[in-house]
Amino acid sequence: ELWGKPVTFLPDCVGAETEVACADPALGTVILLENLRFHLEEEGKGVEHAEGCSGKKCGDGCKPIKASEEEVAAFRASLTK
């Protein structure tokens, strides 16, 4: 609204949909990408939350998970497309 232009929101920062939308935008196009901190592969580790867990204070049933080196490498490579 402040720029006087429509803003296109993409639900992810990587992937085919994002690559297509960002490949050749018109001059002045504003694209907002979902924040990548929600990707396990960015940090390489995370927590798989148990059903009903709020994610704020994990308890029983929540377990740490880790992305493989290959998944992290593929994710990082997709950021440069």
Side-chain angles (χ1 to χ4, degrees):
E1 190 176 294
L2 294 174
W3 292 330
K5 299 178 181 199
V7 175
T8 300
F9 176 77
L10 298 177
D12 208 342
C13 62
V14 295
E17 178 185 3
T18 301
E19 290 172 23
V20 168
C22 296
D24 191 24
L27 185 63
T29 298
V30 179
I31 300 172
L32 177 64
L33 304 178
E34 176 61 80
N35 191 316
L36 59 96
R37 71 176 148 199
F38 298 107
H39 289 277
L40 172 67
E41 297 85 359
E42 180 196 14
E43 296 282 329
K45 61 183 178 179
V47 175
E48 185 175 312
H49 298 286
E51 189 174 331
C53 176
S54 68
K56 293 180 181 176
K57 201 169 195 181
C58 294
D60 293 334
C62 297
K63 60 182 179 180
I65 53 176
K66 186 172 181 176
S68 70
E69 289 183 24
E70 294 82 16
E71 291 169 323
V72 172
F75 177 80
R76 290 180 180 167
S78 73
L79 297 176
T80 61
K81 292 184 180 181

